[in-house]
Amino acid sequence: MKTALITGATAGIGRAAAILLANNGYRLIITGRRNDRLEEVKSEIGASHEVHCLSFDIRSREEVEAAINGLPQQWQNIDVLVNNAGLAAGLNPIQEGAIDDWEQMLDTNVKGLLYITRIVANKMIEQGYGHIVNIGSIAGVQAYENGNVYCASKHAVHALSQGMRIDMLKHGIKVTEIRPGLAETEFSLVRFKGDADSAKKPYIGIVPLSGQDIAEAILFAITRPPHVNVNDLEITPTAQASSYYVFRK
Ligand code: NDP
Ligand code: 8X3
């Protein structure tokens, strides 16, 4: 039975991926800061599936290292790493951006992803197999107004995905980048710091993606035969052609 480690499994895409992968026979290590949410996901998945919860802040290198290096023996082999934990904080022109928001985005979306990948990639190299799935964004290939630092963080994920794929080539480890467009999760509520009215605006007049839509893409990517790698998947709502063109009814 394969083991998948999903970061940011307390909400949205990560939560949906945890439930879908468990239902498709994966053992799971699920992570996030909110331990109560991790336990909820674990109990929703049910006792017939093996789930190990790891609560830590991915921005802290020490916490990441302690959590992953401290995994019990039976959870040491990781077949699939889904680098999903991430956020946008704020939507401001560059000259008005809050520096704390910038740090939070870069520390989570870029540095956190790197901290965990470094440890898990070494495990995968030692095992001789593995698959890393990075959740990027359409914002990783197109910058949009006021999105500056979030877009930069996801451009970094795009570049890192390409770089990791090259570095992992000789080790037979797959690397996939999935770039969602507008998906209705807790993402917008987090970006607008709990302001529910602002959070709804991006999804007005469209049918947005759901966490489940992206979870299905993750499952597709990780269930290809050994000789097939899905390099990139960019997935938007039907009503979205790019970061700039959204057709609202
Ligand atoms: P959610 O806000 O619903 O989920 C984000 C997850 O990331 C949560 O589980 C949260 O857990 C975790 N997380 C955030 N900060 C940290 C941290 N410091 N340490 C550990 N975990 C953290 O958003 P989505 O599901 O939408 O986002 C998932 C990924 O998808 C992100 O990388 C996002 O950038 C990307 N994405 C989202 C899109 C969208 O439109 N929704 C589109 C394109 C990409 P907790 O708070 O418990 O720590
Ligand atoms: C999330 C998609 O367009 O809201 O990465 O930035 S968008």
Side-chain angles (χ1 to χ4, degrees), residues 88 136-139 144 150-151 154 180-183 187 191 202-203 240 243:
S137 170
I138 193 168
Y144 56 84
Y150 177 70
C151 296
K154 290 298 179 175
L182 290 161
F187 177 85
R191 166 169 257 172
Y203 314 114
Q240 181 178 23
S243 284

Side-chain angles (χ1 to χ4, degrees), residues 3 5 10 13 47 52 59 74 81 93 97 102 124 134 148 172 179 181 202 221 235 238 240 247:
T3 301
L5 188 164
T10 59
I13 293 169
H52 186 73
R59 291 172 294 177
Q74 69 272 28
L81 168 65
W102 295 354
M124 288 176 169
N134 293 329
N148 41 65
R179 293 193 297 274
I235 303 168
T238 305
Q240 181 178 23
F247 182 71

Side-chain angles (χ1 to χ4, degrees):
M1 194 180 270
K2 290 190 172 176
T3 301
L5 188 164
I6 304 173
T7 67
T10 59
I13 293 169
R15 185 182 194 284
I19 292 166
L20 187 67
L21 266 56
N23 288 333
N24 280 273
Y26 284 80
R27 300 165 82 230
L28 290 181
I29 302 167
I30 55 174
T31 86
R33 288 165 301 181
R34 290 170 288 180
N35 196 45
D36 54 333
R37 292 279 200 103
L38 291 174
E39 291 297 336
E40 268 173 43
V41 175
K42 182 176 176 171
S43 63
E44 185 170 338
I45 287 171
S48 54
H49 296 83
E50 281 183 274
V51 180
H52 186 73
C53 299
L54 272 186
S55 176
F56 60 86
D57 188 327
I58 204 159
R59 291 172 294 177
S60 160
R61 180 176 160 188
E62 291 73 24
E63 285 186 39
V64 173
E65 287 176 354
I68 307 302
N69 290 332
L71 277 167
Q73 191 54 42
Q74 69 272 28
W75 290 100
Q76 286 281 335
N77 284 13
I78 296 165
D79 298 83
V80 176
L81 168 65
V82 182
N83 277 321
N84 166 75
L87 81 161
L91 189 67
N92 303 106
I94 196 78
Q95 72 281 8
E96 293 172 17
I99 290 173
D100 286 348
D101 287 349
W102 295 354
E103 285 179 342
Q104 189 180 6
M105 289 186 276
L106 296 170
D107 288 351
T108 310
N109 301 356
V110 185
K111 290 168 69 181
L113 180 147
L114 286 169
Y115 297 152
I116 196 160
T117 299
R118 193 178 192 289
I119 304 175
V120 177
N122 274 303
K123 286 179 178 294
M124 288 176 169
I125 289 168
E126 214 171 290
Q127 293 162 188
Y129 56 83
H131 193 159
I132 299 169
V133 179
N134 293 329
I135 306 302
S137 170
I138 193 168
V141 288
Q142 294 170 339
Y144 56 84
E145 190 176 17
N146 299 330
N148 41 65
V149 175
Y150 177 70
C151 296
S153 75
K154 290 298 179 175
H155 273 66
V157 174
H158 182 48
L160 287 169
S161 301
Q162 295 170 72
M164 283 181 200
R165 192 174 303 119
I166 298 164
D167 296 347
M168 292 296 110
L169 194 59
K170 63 171 81 68
H171 303 290
I173 291 158
K174 299 185 185 191
V175 178
T176 297
E177 182 191 7
I178 299 181
R179 293 193 297 274
L182 290 161
E184 193 163 14
T185 59
E186 293 182 7
F187 177 85
S188 202
L189 205 56
V190 170
R191 166 169 257 172
F192 294 108
K193 300 171 184 176
D195 173 350
D197 289 336
S198 298
K200 283 195 192 101
K201 283 189 186 141
Y203 314 114
I204 289 173
I206 65 163
V207 180
L209 299 172
S210 63
Q212 177 72 14
D213 294 322
I214 303 307
E216 287 171 11
I218 296 169
L219 182 65
F220 172 79
I222 64 176
T223 51
R224 294 312 86 208
H227 68 290
V228 177
N229 186 54
V230 177
N231 291 336
D232 284 281
L233 278 175
E234 189 168 290
I235 303 168
T236 63
T238 305
Q240 181 178 23
S242 72
S243 284
Y244 328 107
Y245 293 102
V246 179
F247 182 71
R248 298 181 194 276
K249 285 195 178 146

